[in-house]
């Protein structure tokens, strides 16, 4: 079993990726190429800035952060995000296993790009799955991230079948993901999932734009602006019709 994780960066006191205050580890490497990705420097698995950490080193960090986890009143723990953490499923599984043995809550933030036995094994040690479902229409999904949504939907079904908790995430991008008919189709698709305890709408922002310049890459959503309050309200209304109070705008 792989003993080290390839990491882009860490966030202590993370409050956006799972319940409570968390240590968030951003894994290096991602098979998707989302046009709006605000961390394009996490996409390649091999970079000269990659940090390598062993399972024990990550657990040590977690132990150090432990005193802060309870302070939000909702508990906290470890989130592994990315990039796409399931590219390194075996290493993440080893970390989650050990974290759970020590009583920490584990949360996996994934785009759902990869389906295999290692990922299913990883889900067994994942207390909460944060699954980004970027578009319900396959053509739009391909245009937006460069690949089909087949694996994403398979992952959603695998988690649902396991009966274990999942939050769904939706990045709201004007002109790309805010088509009313597709938001409705997205909501209807997941409305009967019993494991979904929260639906998070993440309004598109432009914070990662400058990184494309630094990487010598063209930012293809140059003309796109963050959604207006009216656009956010419309998305919230559509999702609320199906998920009620589970809907939250980040
Ligand atoms: S899935 Fe996440 S990390 Fe990967 S390209 Fe998309 S936004 Fe970036």
């Amino acid at each position: 079993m792989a003993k080290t994780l390839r990491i882009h960066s860490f966030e202590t006191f993370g409050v956006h990726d799972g319940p409570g205050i968390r240590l968030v580890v951003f894994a290096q490497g991602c098979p998707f190429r989302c046009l709006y990705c605000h961390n394009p420097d996490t996409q390649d698995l091999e970079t000269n800035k990659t940090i390598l950490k062993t399972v024990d080193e990550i657990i040590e960090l977690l132990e150090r952060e432990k005193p802060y986890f309870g302070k939000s009143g909702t508990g906290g723990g470890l989130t592994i995000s990315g990039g796409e953490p399931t590219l390194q499923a075996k290493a993440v599984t080893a970390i989650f296993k050990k974290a759970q043995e020590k009583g920490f809550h584990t949360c996996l933030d994934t785009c759902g790009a990869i389906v295999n036995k290692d990922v299913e094994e990883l889900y067994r040690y994942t207390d909460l799955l944060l699954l980004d479902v970027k578009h319900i229409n396959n053509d739009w999904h391909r245009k937006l991230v460069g690949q089909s949504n087949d694996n994403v939907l398979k992952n959603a079904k695998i988690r649902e079948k396991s009966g274990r908790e999942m939050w769904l995430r939706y990045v709201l991008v004007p002109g790309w993901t805010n088509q009313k008919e597709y938001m409705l189709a997205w909501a209807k698709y997941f409305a009967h999932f019993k494991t979904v305890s929260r639906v998070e709408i993440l309004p598109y922002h432009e914070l990662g734009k400058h990184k494309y310049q630094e990487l010598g890459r063209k930012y293809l959503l140059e003309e796109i602006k963050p959604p207006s309050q009216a656009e956010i309200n419309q998305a919230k209304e559509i999702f609320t019709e199906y998920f009620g109070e589970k809907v939250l705008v980040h």
Side-chain angles (χ1 to χ4, degrees):
M1 183 173 284
K3 290 277 188 286
T4 55
L5 185 70
R6 304 181 71 80
I7 294 165
H8 172 270
S9 53
F10 297 92
E11 184 184 7
T12 50
F13 295 96
V15 290
H16 297 295
D17 300 298
I21 294 173
R22 315 187 67 85
L23 172 68
V24 186
V25 179
F26 296 93
Q28 189 69 42
C30 182
F32 281 175
R33 290 292 177 269
C34 303
L35 296 181
Y36 55 71
C37 181
H38 61 273
N39 285 320
D41 47 340
T42 64
Q43 292 172 351
D44 291 337
L45 190 57
E46 308 287 337
T47 80
N48 56 13
K49 291 186 182 156
T50 302
I51 304 162
L52 287 175
K53 288 271 182 217
T54 63
V55 174
D56 288 341
E57 284 171 329
I58 292 175
I59 299 298
E60 261 170 49
L61 269 175
L62 197 53
E63 296 275 17
R64 243 183 278 157
E65 297 301 313
K66 192 177 177 177
Y68 306 104
F69 290 161
K71 295 206 168 156
S72 63
T74 53
L78 171 65
T79 296
I80 304 197
S81 178
E84 175 45 44
T86 60
L87 264 184
Q88 305 180 74
K90 284 190 176 176
V92 180
T93 301
I95 295 162
F96 276 7
K97 259 187 191 176
K98 202 151 197 182
Q100 283 188 336
E101 276 165 24
K102 292 186 173 286
F104 292 103
H105 180 270
T106 62
C107 183
L108 182 75
D109 179 16
T110 175
C111 68
I114 300 170
V115 178
N116 61 33
K117 288 213 166 357
D118 291 341
V119 174
E120 282 196 49
E121 173 75 355
L122 169 57
Y123 285 179
R124 291 183 48 216
Y125 297 93
T126 301
D127 292 316
L128 171 66
L129 188 75
L130 309 186
L131 179 66
D132 290 7
V133 184
K134 293 166 192 292
H135 215 294
I136 199 67
N137 177 274
N138 219 349
D139 293 335
W140 276 97
H141 195 275
R142 283 182 199 278
K143 276 194 271 184
L144 191 63
V145 322
Q147 288 185 30
S148 138
N149 63 9
D150 289 351
N151 280 353
V152 184
L153 300 182
K154 270 185 204 158
N155 271 306
K157 284 183 191 155
I158 288 168
R159 187 66 175 181
E160 173 69 3
K161 209 172 156 200
S162 76
R164 304 187 63 206
E165 193 182 7
M166 162 165 69
W167 292 1
L168 296 176
R169 299 178 128 187
Y170 193 76
V171 184
L172 187 68
V173 193
W176 286 85
T177 67
N178 70 337
Q179 308 95 332
K180 204 173 167 191
E181 73 271 31
Y182 293 132
M183 288 195 285
L184 266 170
W186 190 105
K188 280 184 188 164
Y189 186 91
F190 292 109
H192 69 280
F193 278 52
K194 294 191 171 60
T195 57
V196 174
S197 59
R198 184 185 281 192
V199 172
E200 294 189 331
I201 300 170
L202 313 174
Y204 163 75
H205 60 69
E206 300 167 295
L207 298 179
K209 248 180 173 179
H210 68 280
K211 293 188 183 172
Y212 286 79
Q213 215 172 358
E214 285 161 18
L215 293 168
R217 285 170 54 182
K218 191 170 162 44
Y219 187 66
L220 296 169
L221 296 190
E222 196 63 56
E223 307 303 322
I224 305 293
K225 296 283 162 237
S228 63
Q229 194 54 51
E231 287 171 310
I232 294 171
N233 290 347
Q234 185 193 45
K236 191 172 180 199
E237 222 170 88
I238 291 172
F239 289 131
T240 301
E241 201 185 320
Y242 291 87
F243 300 99
E245 305 218 323
K246 292 176 186 171
V247 179
L248 196 116
V249 178
H250 248 304

